[in-house]
Amino acid sequence: LEASLMKKITCAFWLIFTWIQAACGDVSYSLPEETKRGWVIGNIAKDLGLKSGELSHRKARIEAEETEKRYFDINVENGNLIVADRIDREELCDERASCVVKRELVLESPLELHRVNVHIQDINDNTPQFNDEVIKLEIHESAVRGARFLIEEAHDADVGQNSVQQYALNKNDHFVLVITGNTIELVLDKELDREKQDEIDLVLTALDGGSPQRTGTVAIHVTVLDANDNAPVFNQAVYKASLPENSPLDTVVVTVSAADADEGVNGDVSYDFGHVTEDVKRTFSINAKTGEIKVIGNVDFESKTSFEIRVKAKDGLGLSSHGKVIISVTDVNDNAPVVSLKSLSDSVAENTPPGTEVGIINVQDRDSENNRQVRCSLQTGVPFKLVPSIKNYYSLVTTEQLDRELVSDYNITITATDEGSPPLSSSKTVHLTVADINDNPPVFEEQSYSAYVTENNKPGSTLCSVAARDPDWRQNGTVVYSLLPGEVNGAPVSSYVSVNGDTGVIHAVRAFDYEHFRSFKVHVMARDNGSPPLSSNVTVNVFISDVNDNSPQILYPTPEGNSFMTELVPKAAHAGSLVSKVIAVDADSGQNAWLSYHIVKSTDPGLFTIGLHSGEIRTQRDISESDSMKQNLIVAVKDNGQPPLSATCSMYLLISDNLAEVPELKDIAYDERDSKLTSYLIIALVSVSTFFLTFIIIVLGVRFCRRRKPRLLFDGAVAIPSGYLPPNYADVDGTGTLRSTYNYDGYMTTGSRTSDFKFKSVPRYESKYILTLYISISFIHMFRPFI
């Protein structure tokens, strides 16, 4: 009313004063209660189409009644509507479901009023509370099982879901909690015995539906009293009443009364139904205090002509007695026609011709005369019609050919209407199933399928699943899957994959190798179990992905038995010079074939480096005289798989400009058996040498005696050790970058009549040549003095 009055006054000012313009409009916002001060609710200037600077110029303000709190304010600089005071929804609106705070925005020059409605939303900020901290009950030990004791409900100031939603009672031996609507009852589940336990303490918890959930509790103290010795007594053994059918609700049928000789709580009588049928519970109720029996449901003479009700009167401490109430129902004309299904086919084949009878309907009405005359009809849109037959019978026949795949069953509603005034009608729905014939082949869900599998898969692993749908029913729609004959790489497709005939799941029969083939096609057939069967095919493309199952293969240098791959490095090589290259390949693909090269061990770690991805071995610095002539590198080649695989090789480098400069190459593939043979040969040669030396001494002795000139074999002033090795010697060893066949050293002393021969390494197949050479040299030395 105030807003309407203000609007009228504003419009009047506009008519009187042309310089005053009033624009009336409403704006609404929604805000949770307890929002902190300064919170921005919305931009009222933007919502009303005003400029933010215009608010300050026109002295915008929020008006409220003098008795009301301000709650909101407006920032005239930016037009924001903000919270100015604490908002408690329960204080504002109590338990009302809707809570709206109404304020007015006032603008001057010209004068404008805009109503601002702020809907305050409830939050779960209140805890369920009971009126009493302790509920005290006194119950006689004679109380029967099932005795009920009313408990006052809890109150929650919040509304809706935030209010009390449920109750819980702590676990105990005697009582259970029963909640009916807003009524909370403590029900005796096990009889009490005061002599065993005269007091029982319970805890009742009320829970709301907010988030987070809040609870409230109350203690229930039960005092067990001694037995009550007087039960209520009805003033009549049997009560009789008459009731017309279709009586309105709350009609009082009869009032029962019982008296109790006890006083106080022992004499307070309450009434309830005893053991009665569900019909009675649905039709009648009894007032627990007054004993009035009222109508709460529909009373139908045709359904039940009379009711026999057992009524129980109970005093305050649980003693009770029973009485009987007989209610006779009188008839009125209220019967609608009854539609009965006398015959109906279990199913109708979808190729059934039109005009086929599928069921027989009977219609009855228990009323008389015109109220008994009935007309029948079907709902529109179904391929059926009713054909009248004898008396009250109708035939249900088809009007067109059926198609189960379009409509698999029909709910046919038959309506019967009598000719009474007003007319009464009833309906019956008949369910009719359309039987299937095999007229649809299976259809795959996709035009083609793709399966992805990594190589080295386990036989029996699942590749993919195909699915076909057949709209037919049962065996006509049951799909069986199979592989069509075919070949993959010259082998039957069944040796690669199999398909589950029931589920369409395709399994791998063997492990696949990506390096042999990367994809293949499989054709799957889906066939139904109809007669005759129908089928369709689909193509499944199987793609094999690579895994890191191949180690890198080193092509150069190529290890061959115990031999070596040796490279010459010029002495004048500078830093960065290309020395050699390790070449490797990997049978895998992708990142599994990305190779990297690493020097894992070298004679001089700082002399050579290898390209991480090229495998090129280069010098890191200039070659110096102090560097060892023989350099041994161990190179590891790794791929980029997970986990990575690797291979290693040895590279032997000789720092030299010419093979002739190399003094010695030791055969790394030294055979222990060759060593033993050499030892045996040395022993044999020493023995032969000793024999020949003895022979030479004898010959020299004979010559000395003949000449009669004493001579010494060696100068007495010079002692030559038997192990003397001169600094200069002739190297007859085969050296170079090629593989050595055998190595030995021969040392010839200068200016001496004797010779020393040192064997270094003699292969078995060269021993006879060395022995012959030695004998020849021995003979030459033996006869040298005589030449």
Side-chain angles (χ1 to χ4, degrees):
L1 293 176
E2 293 177 358
S4 177
L5 180 61
M6 180 63 69
K7 185 176 179 180
K8 291 179 180 179
I9 294 174
T10 302
C11 293
F13 277 120
W14 181 80
L15 293 173
I16 297 173
F17 302 99
T18 57
W19 58 273
I20 296 179
Q21 298 179 358
C24 303
D26 291 349
V27 62
S28 298
Y29 299 96
S30 181
L31 179 72
E33 65 173 326
E34 304 294 346
T35 301
K36 63 181 180 180
R37 292 178 175 87
W39 180 268
V40 176
I41 302 172
N43 193 295
I44 195 170
K46 181 179 179 181
D47 295 337
L48 292 174
L50 303 173
K51 297 181 180 178
S52 57
E54 187 179 359
L55 296 178
S56 176
H57 175 71
R58 298 180 63 181
K59 299 180 182 180
R61 60 187 180 273
I62 299 296
E63 292 290 346
E65 297 290 340
E66 294 181 356
T67 58
E68 294 179 337
K69 285 186 178 181
R70 188 173 173 191
Y71 291 127
F72 312 107
D73 204 350
I74 185 171
N75 188 327
V76 295
E77 299 298 328
N78 54 27
N80 287 336
L81 182 67
I82 60 176
V83 177
D85 202 352
R86 175 178 176 268
I87 303 174
D88 186 355
R89 196 204 65 82
E90 287 74 26
E91 178 182 345
L92 283 171
C93 304
D94 199 14
E95 294 183 0
R96 294 196 301 271
S98 176
C99 183
V100 181
V101 177
K102 298 180 179 180
R103 293 293 183 267
E104 290 181 343
L105 172 65
V106 180
L107 300 173
E108 297 180 3
S109 301
L111 178 65
E112 287 184 21
L113 294 178
H114 297 277
R115 176 171 294 178
V116 180
N117 298 325
V118 180
H119 297 263
I120 308 302
Q121 299 173 351
D122 183 50
I123 63 172
N124 193 26
D125 59 342
N126 291 280
T127 301
Q129 294 182 350
F130 291 88
N131 289 338
D132 301 318
E133 294 183 358
V134 179
I135 298 176
K136 296 182 179 180
L137 297 177
E138 292 183 349
I139 303 175
H140 277 265
E141 64 177 340
S142 60
V144 296
R145 182 180 179 184
R148 295 172 177 260
F149 307 93
L150 187 65
I151 303 297
E152 187 174 355
E153 63 181 350
H155 175 73
D156 193 331
D158 295 321
V159 296
Q161 188 67 21
N162 295 329
S163 63
V164 177
Q165 299 296 318
Q166 56 181 326
Y167 295 87
L169 183 67
N170 67 312
K171 187 176 181 180
N172 63 91
D173 295 331
H174 293 279
F175 297 93
V176 295
L177 195 66
V178 175
I179 302 174
T180 305
N182 293 328
T183 303
I184 306 172
E185 292 180 305
L186 202 64
V187 179
L188 185 63
D189 188 54
K190 182 180 179 182
E191 288 80 6
L192 304 173
D193 190 346
R194 191 190 65 82
E195 286 71 29
K196 291 182 179 180
Q197 187 177 7
D198 59 351
E199 291 183 348
I200 300 173
D201 291 316
L202 306 173
V203 176
L204 178 61
T205 303
L207 303 92
D208 65 19
S211 179
Q213 191 177 53
R214 294 176 178 268
T215 61
T217 60
V218 64
I220 302 175
H221 182 77
V222 179
T223 301
V224 183
L225 303 178
D226 207 1
N228 177 26
D229 56 353
N230 287 289
V233 178
F234 283 98
N235 57 6
Q236 291 181 223
V238 178
Y239 294 85
K240 294 183 178 181
S242 178
L243 178 68
E245 66 173 330
N246 299 330
S247 294
L249 301 181
D250 293 331
T251 299
V252 178
V253 182
V254 66
T255 300
V256 298
S257 178
D260 194 310
D262 296 323
E263 294 181 351
V265 68
N266 296 332
D268 291 339
V269 178
S270 62
Y271 303 93
D272 195 3
F273 289 143
H275 182 71
V276 294
T277 63
E278 291 298 324
D279 288 340
V280 172
K281 294 180 180 179
R282 289 193 298 265
T283 309
F284 303 101
S285 67
I286 187 170
N287 189 300
K289 294 297 184 182
T290 63
E292 288 183 346
I293 298 177
K294 293 183 179 181
V295 176
I296 61 172
N298 183 36
V299 181
D300 187 6
F301 174 82
E302 287 72 28
S303 298
K304 199 173 185 66
T305 58
S306 64
F307 294 90
E308 186 173 318
I309 304 174
R310 185 177 174 87
V311 181
K312 178 174 68 175
K314 180 179 66 174
D315 62 20
L317 295 180
L319 290 183
S320 61
S321 60
H322 295 84
K324 182 185 294 186
V325 176
I326 298 176
I327 300 175
S328 298
V329 181
T330 59
D331 185 38
V332 294
N333 185 24
D334 62 342
N335 290 288
V338 177
V339 179
S340 301
L341 181 63
K342 296 300 182 181
S343 176
L344 184 68
S345 301
D346 293 336
S347 61
V348 181
E350 57 181 323
N351 59 350
T352 299
T356 303
E357 183 180 81
V358 296
I360 298 175
I361 308 300
N362 177 256
V363 180
Q364 297 289 339
D365 193 315
R366 289 184 290 176
D367 294 328
S368 59
E369 297 180 356
N370 290 337
N371 295 332
R372 193 182 183 94
Q373 302 301 318
V374 178
R375 299 187 308 272
C376 291
S377 62
L378 297 179
Q379 85 269 26
T380 59
V382 294
F384 301 95
K385 67 178 180 179
L386 286 175
V387 178
S389 184
I390 57 174
K391 206 174 181 181
N392 294 324
Y393 286 87
Y394 296 84
S395 295
L396 181 64
V397 299
T398 61
T399 59
E400 59 186 66
Q401 188 166 337
L402 308 178
D403 188 351
R404 196 202 69 84
E405 284 69 45
L406 294 179
V407 182
S408 60
D409 53 8
Y410 291 92
N411 289 321
I412 306 168
T413 301
I414 303 170
T415 303
T417 306
D418 63 23
E419 295 183 358
S421 181
L424 299 178
S425 64
S426 63
S427 299
K428 185 175 184 62
T429 301
V430 176
H431 182 79
L432 187 64
T433 302
V434 180
D436 183 52
I437 61 173
N438 192 28
D439 56 349
N440 292 279
V443 177
F444 283 94
E445 294 180 349
E446 300 181 19
Q447 293 183 352
S448 63
Y449 292 84
S450 296
Y452 299 89
V453 60
T454 57
E455 64 173 331
N456 302 329
N457 57 293
K458 293 183 179 179
S461 59
T462 300
L463 300 182
C464 68
S465 177
V466 298
R469 298 290 180 266
D470 193 319
D472 293 326
W473 193 51
R474 289 190 176 176
Q475 67 178 13
N476 293 332
T478 301
V479 180
V480 178
Y481 303 92
S482 61
L483 292 178
L484 290 178
E487 291 186 353
V488 177
N489 288 345
V493 69
S494 59
S495 64
Y496 286 88
V497 296
S498 65
V499 63
N500 188 304
D502 296 326
T503 63
V505 176
I506 299 177
H507 301 276
V509 174
R510 63 166 68 172
F512 302 135
D513 190 351
Y514 177 83
E515 287 69 38
H516 288 168
F517 58 93
R518 302 184 178 185
S519 65
F520 60 91
K521 292 183 179 180
V522 177
H523 299 284
V524 179
M525 179 180 69
R527 176 181 55 84
D528 61 27
N529 285 329
S531 179
L534 302 177
S535 64
S536 60
N537 303 331
V538 73
T539 300
V540 179
N541 297 294
V542 180
F543 299 95
I544 303 169
S545 58
D546 184 47
V547 297
N548 193 28
D549 60 343
N550 290 281
S551 299
Q553 181 181 359
I554 299 175
L555 302 181
Y556 182 85
T558 305
E560 297 180 0
N562 295 320
S563 62
F564 306 96
M565 185 63 68
T566 307
E567 298 284 353
L568 283 179
V569 180
K571 293 181 180 180
H574 296 289
S577 299
L578 178 63
V579 173
S580 184
K581 182 175 181 179
V582 177
I583 302 174
V585 295
D586 196 310
D588 295 321
S589 66
Q591 68 174 7
N592 296 328
W594 296 350
L595 302 182
S596 59
Y597 302 82
H598 312 270
I599 296 177
V600 298
K601 186 177 181 182
S602 64
T603 304
D604 189 347
L607 184 54
F608 298 100
T609 184
I610 189 169
L612 180 63
H613 298 295
S614 65
E616 295 179 347
I617 301 176
R618 297 180 180 271
T619 56
Q620 293 193 79
R621 57 178 174 79
D622 295 345
I623 302 295
S624 64
E625 294 293 336
S626 61
D627 292 328
S628 174
M629 179 180 294
K630 301 177 181 179
Q631 297 289 330
N632 181 13
L633 303 180
I634 298 178
V635 179
V637 183
K638 292 183 179 179
D639 59 27
N640 198 36
Q642 291 296 331
L645 302 177
S646 63
T648 58
C649 67
S650 296
M651 176 69 74
Y652 297 89
L653 305 176
L654 294 176
I655 301 175
S656 175
D657 295 328
N658 194 339
L659 289 176
E661 297 178 358
V662 181
E664 180 182 7
L665 283 175
K666 293 184 179 181
D667 189 356
I668 302 303
Y670 186 82
D671 195 338
E672 186 179 353
R673 294 175 296 177
D674 291 349
S675 177
K676 292 182 179 180
L677 178 60
T678 302
S679 300
Y680 296 150
L681 291 175
I682 291 174
I683 295 173
L685 291 174
V686 169
S687 300
V688 174
S689 298
T690 304
F691 173 76
F692 280 106
L693 288 174
T694 305
F695 178 76
I696 291 172
I697 293 172
I698 295 173
V699 172
L700 291 176
V702 172
R703 290 185 64 189
F704 178 80
C705 292
R706 286 180 180 180
R707 294 182 181 183
R708 297 177 181 180
K709 295 180 181 181
R711 296 176 64 183
L712 292 176
L713 180 63
F714 300 104
D715 188 356
V718 180
I720 301 175
S722 63
Y724 168 73
L725 299 177
N728 297 322
Y729 60 90
D731 181 10
V732 296
D733 187 12
T735 62
T737 60
L738 299 178
R739 182 163 50 94
S740 301
T741 303
Y742 62 90
N743 296 313
Y744 64 89
D745 296 333
Y747 302 92
M748 302 293 184
T749 60
T750 59
S752 174
R753 296 179 180 180
T754 64
S755 66
D756 297 323
F757 199 90
K758 178 182 178 183
F759 284 87
K760 193 180 169 191
S761 175
V762 184
R764 293 190 301 272
Y765 56 84
E766 298 291 342
S767 60
K768 61 181 181 179
Y769 301 107
I770 297 174
L771 181 58
T772 303
L773 178 62
Y774 180 81
I775 294 173
S776 301
I777 296 173
S778 299
F779 273 103
I780 292 171
H781 281 273
M782 181 178 67
F783 292 103
R784 184 180 180 184
F786 301 99
I787 301 174

